Amino acid sequence: EKLTEDTRLIIPVHFAGQPCNMKDIKTLVKNRNIKIMEDAAHAIGSKYEDGSRVGNCKYSDLTIFSFHPVKTITTGEGGAITTNNEELYERLLLYRNHGITNNNSKLTGPWYHEMQCLGFNYRLTDIQAALGISQLKKIDDFIKRRREIVERYNEAFDNIEWLKVPYEQPDVFSAFHLYVLQIDFDKINKSRKQVMEELREKNIGTQVHYIPVYTQPYYQEHYGYKWGMCQNAEEYYHRALSIPLYPKMSDEEVEYVIEKILELGK
């Protein structure tokens, strides 16, 4: 319903690691001049309903990944883009390197290069790339441990009336970058701020992922967006709280987190 003649791009976000329904989104743009760019910052290692890996671009023009330190694998900072479109690939090579290419050096000399567009300095360093390659070798183990922790969390928090566990569609495979509980704070007579502070006193860090983007000052000032535009997103935001999830968590630490969260309702 939101697509118009002016629509040029759809950016599905694989939030917390769960892939969007890309097959249906691809069908949406059939016979339209609309590109698809997947935001897979949370979803390296995740799989679509057909079992193939997120990032193979069978349903999109581009897929972006993040290697920030809190992601499933890291290069310290930076990311990567995948595409099956050779034209887009060549443009990406230009943009990441100040718009500079040496493609014509064979005609002029090995010293020759030219700037064809106004690009950026978006290159990973060799050190970052080496770290990323070593991390890739461990990704299956990282994801396996994440899913073990998620399974234990789900078991512990299921059927607690003031908690809602994350949903995973039955046919997809989520790498679970985040584990976001939805908490009915009214039922436990505590604000989210109180809950976060109580858990912090017990050495349990939590975070809110995320404040709806359109409520940020920049978008409200420049585009007139206001609270109330996306009711489901806002209801989710007011209940959301991410709890610890990382491969080096011990079973004892997982049980400690569970115990302290359940105590919130007592």
Side-chain angles (χ1 to χ4, degrees):
E1 292 176 356
K2 295 294 183 183
L3 297 181
T4 71
E5 292 182 356
D6 295 324
T7 305
R8 290 291 175 264
L9 179 68
I10 296 176
I11 307 177
V13 180
H14 303 317
F15 176 67
Q18 177 168 231
C20 301
N21 190 334
M22 292 306 305
K23 189 174 182 180
D24 284 356
I25 293 173
K26 178 75 170 178
T27 302
L28 267 182
V29 305
K30 189 175 182 181
N31 300 323
R32 295 174 181 257
N33 184 26
I34 299 175
K35 301 294 186 184
I36 299 174
M37 180 169 65
E38 298 175 69
D39 181 345
H42 291 182
I44 188 166
S46 295
K47 298 177 184 177
Y48 304 114
E49 290 177 324
D50 62 12
S52 64
R53 296 274 186 179
V54 167
N56 61 22
C57 294
K58 66 191 297 185
Y59 302 113
S60 64
D61 299 279
L62 296 162
T63 305
I64 68 99
F65 293 100
S66 169
F67 303 144
H68 181 272
V70 303
K71 297 301 193 296
T72 304
I73 66 169
T74 185
T75 57
E77 192 46 282
I81 304 175
T82 57
T83 182
N84 295 321
N85 183 310
E86 188 170 353
E87 181 183 351
L88 289 176
Y89 170 72
E90 295 295 339
R91 287 171 64 186
L92 288 166
L93 293 183
L94 279 177
Y95 287 142
R96 77 174 180 186
N97 191 30
H98 300 292
I100 295 171
T101 180
N102 62 355
N103 284 347
N104 294 326
S105 61
K106 290 182 180 179
L107 300 177
T108 56
W111 51 268
Y112 184 77
H113 64 272
E114 59 188 36
M115 182 177 171
Q116 296 181 346
C117 65
L118 186 62
F120 307 90
N121 181 4
Y122 283 167
R123 302 180 301 271
L124 282 179
T125 67
D126 288 350
I127 294 172
Q128 288 174 306
L131 173 58
I133 290 170
S134 70
Q135 288 269 291
L136 273 173
K137 295 173 183 176
K138 304 174 184 179
I139 188 170
D140 290 337
D141 290 336
F142 290 164
I143 294 172
K144 180 183 176 184
R145 179 56 182 159
R146 284 177 174 273
R147 290 184 63 88
E148 287 173 355
I149 296 168
V150 167
E151 186 176 351
R152 177 64 190 114
Y153 278 163
N154 286 345
E155 179 184 37
F157 298 137
D158 195 27
N159 297 319
I160 306 296
E161 66 169 344
W162 50 275
L163 286 177
K164 182 178 180 182
V165 301
Y167 174 74
E168 182 182 23
Q169 295 179 22
D171 297 327
V172 303
F173 179 88
S174 173
F176 275 106
H177 166 57
L178 300 172
Y179 188 89
V180 187
L181 283 171
Q182 293 185 57
I183 301 175
D184 189 333
F185 295 101
D186 291 336
K187 281 189 176 177
I188 60 174
N189 295 312
K190 294 177 181 178
S191 69
R192 179 162 55 190
K193 183 172 183 287
Q194 284 178 287
V195 166
M196 294 181 77
E197 288 174 348
E198 282 186 31
L199 292 174
R200 170 54 66 187
E201 288 175 2
K202 297 167 184 174
N203 294 317
I204 297 173
T206 57
Q207 188 53 277
V208 178
H209 297 100
Y210 295 94
I211 303 170
V213 172
Y214 61 89
T215 68
Q216 297 291 345
Y218 175 86
Y219 295 101
Q220 293 195 346
E221 180 181 343
H222 287 82
Y223 300 103
Y225 294 156
K226 298 178 181 178
W227 283 95
M229 288 185 61
C230 300
Q231 185 177 351
N232 289 340
E234 292 174 27
E235 288 179 0
Y236 160 81
Y237 160 66
H238 289 304
R239 298 191 303 261
L241 191 68
S242 297
I243 65 173
L245 175 64
Y246 52 93
K248 285 196 172 182
M249 280 186 80
S250 67
D251 290 345
E252 292 74 19
E253 288 171 329
V254 172
E255 295 303 321
Y256 178 76
V257 171
I258 291 169
E259 176 189 340
K260 298 308 174 186
I261 287 177
L262 292 177
E263 286 178 0
L264 294 169
K266 295 179 181 178

